[in-house]
């Protein structure tokens, strides 16, 4: 029977050889992490001294940067190591701080308390499927999907380090909702006009800049974090375009951040502006001098997206517009462009979607979108929104 190979990272028997002159050499073969077998030797005044030097060299050569993961490693330990890598990606600008914050929340609230004590060998497809199903039943479909995504990252980390043969999360069942997906509702042109009338008659809404923010949402279809991250430095009034390159996020311990990163690469885009938006910008430019945020807070700084969402809820009341959120304006913009016979690709570019299917599935942008988007918005709601 053939002799089994030396395990990767291990070495064979150490032999001592007395050299001419009285010194000693200790040597052995080690199987390196590339699979090759190499002879390693060290010298010393005595055989024992040479062997000590050799063992020291072997320890430095074969010791991994971290304790190796294996089937007996607890899932909670793997989760912490994976999250350390996530934090490094945030520091490198490869992931959003908000993404790391969400991962941390799902680890702490669901995954570590629920299955953190499992060993990797026990994290089987049936067991993980049962866990995700339980999260869905007790915390909702959204939490279950987020936990599945987070857990997939953790187990993928373990698989890449050889602790499990494959990522078991890939084989668990789909997280299903209780019914068919309800698409976001959009405002009609008449509702847009009535909504603005309601805001203009509300002193608190006017003081909070909600009428002009509504005009901006409808003119661009941007996300709430993108809308309040627009500064005068990203607006070209002569060309009637705006660069969407930033978003505002809140990071625990750091406060509000304006980060040069949108939800996807497709989020970086240049949008043409309809005439009603240009007129609004000209008016605001004369008031502000064209410096700082387009929609500043009371102190002239960047607005908090959570505070803006709360202010919109307070302004809408519980009557006719009790269902309105900032996302409704995004949906309304997409609907108007769709009814204006723009292609799904043009509308996706306007909204900053990388995939047309996202636009088609949930709302019905190339970086400089078609001028037809601005023309269509002007023709549909320009008169209703102009001030």
């Amino acid at each position: 029977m053939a002799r089994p190979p030396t395990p990767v990272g291990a070495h064979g028997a150490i032999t001592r050889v007395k050299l001419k002159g009285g010194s000693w050499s200790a040597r052995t073969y080690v199987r390196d992490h590339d699979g090759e077998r190499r002879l390693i030797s060290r010298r010393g005044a005595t055989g024992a001294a040479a062997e000590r030097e050799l063992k020291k060299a072997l320890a430095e050569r074969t010791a991994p940067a971290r304790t190796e993961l294996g089937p007996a490693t607890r899932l909670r330990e793997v989760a912490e190591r994976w999250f350390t890598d996530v934090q490094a990606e945030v520091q490198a600008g490869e992931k959003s701080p908000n993404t790391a914050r969400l991962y941390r929340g799902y680890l702490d609230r669901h995954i570590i308390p629920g299955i953190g004590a499992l060993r990797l060998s026990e994290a089987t497809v049936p067991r993980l499927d049962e866990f995700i199903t339980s999260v869905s039943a007790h915390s909702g479909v959204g939490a279950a999907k987020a936990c599945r995504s987070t857990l997939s990252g953790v187990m993928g980390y373990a698989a890449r380090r050889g602790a499990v043969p494959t990522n078991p999360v890939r084989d668990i069942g789909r997280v299903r909702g209780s019914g068919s997906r309800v698409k976001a509702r959009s405002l009609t042109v008449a509702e847009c006009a009535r909504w603005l009338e309601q805001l203009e008659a509300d002193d608190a809404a006017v003081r909070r800049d909600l009428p002009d923010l509504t005009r901006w949402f409808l003119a661009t279809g941007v996300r709430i974090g993108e809308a309040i991250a627009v500064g005068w430095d990203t607006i070209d009034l002569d060309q009637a375009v705006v660069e969407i390159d930033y978003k505002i996020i809140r990071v625990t311990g750091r406060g509000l951040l304006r980060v040069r990163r949108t939800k996807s690469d497709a989020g970086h885009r240049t949008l043409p502006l309809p005439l009603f938006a240009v007129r609004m910008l000209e008016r605001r430019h004369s008031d502000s001098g064209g410096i700082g945020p387009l929609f500043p807070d009371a102190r002239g700084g960047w607005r908090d997206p959570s505070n803006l969402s709360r202010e919109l809820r307070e302004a809408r009341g519980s009557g006719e517009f009790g269902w309105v959120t900032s996302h409704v304006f995004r949906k309304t913009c997409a609907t108007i462009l769709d009814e204006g016979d723009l292609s799904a690709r043009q509308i996706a570019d306007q909204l900053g979607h990388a995939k047309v299917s996202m636009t088609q599935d949930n709302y019905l942008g190339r970086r400089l979108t078609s001028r037809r988007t601005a023309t269509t918005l002007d023709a549909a709601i320009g008169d209703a929104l102009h001030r």
Side-chain angles (χ1 to χ4, degrees), residues 12 19 45 103 117 121 139 171 206 213 261 315 327 339:
L19 305 174
Y103 283 152
S121 60
S139 301
D171 295 322
V206 172
L213 267 162
R261 185 175 179 85
H327 222 65
E339 291 172 350

Side-chain angles (χ1 to χ4, degrees), residues 66 80-90 157 161:
R66 293 175 169 177
E80 295 300 342
R81 294 198 194 183
W82 169 77
F83 188 72
T84 298
D85 278 8
V86 170
Q87 290 177 307
E89 290 177 307
V90 171
Y157 176 93
R161 280 149 185 81

Side-chain angles (χ1 to χ4, degrees), residues 293-343:
L294 174 59
F295 298 104
D297 64 7
R299 295 174 295 179
W302 301 106
R303 295 181 73 145
D304 187 321
S306 297
N307 289 346
L308 177 54
S309 294
R310 174 180 52 77
E311 290 164 359
L312 283 169
R313 289 194 298 272
E314 292 173 359
R316 75 190 182 191
S318 58
E320 178 184 7
F321 298 112
W323 52 277
V324 170
T325 66
S326 64
H327 222 65
V328 167
F329 307 127
R330 185 166 162 81
K331 164 68 174 175
T332 301
C333 177
T335 300
I336 291 171
L337 297 179
D338 185 39
E339 291 172 350
D341 291 330
L342 274 80
S343 70

Side-chain angles (χ1 to χ4, degrees), residues 57 59 96 127 135 151 190 192 197 207 209 235 282 289 304 311 322 339-340 347 363 378:
S96 164
R127 190 165 280 124
V135 173
L151 188 57
C192 286
E197 288 175 3
R207 188 171 61 253
D209 234 353
I235 296 170
E282 290 172 341
D304 187 321
E311 290 164 359
E339 291 172 350
I347 301 172
Y363 292 85
D378 249 332

Side-chain angles (χ1 to χ4, degrees), residues 101-117:
R101 179 182 62 81
L102 292 172
Y103 283 152
R104 185 74 258 176
Y106 289 113
L107 286 174
D108 292 342
R109 289 195 300 271
H110 299 286
I111 295 173
I112 292 176
I115 54 175

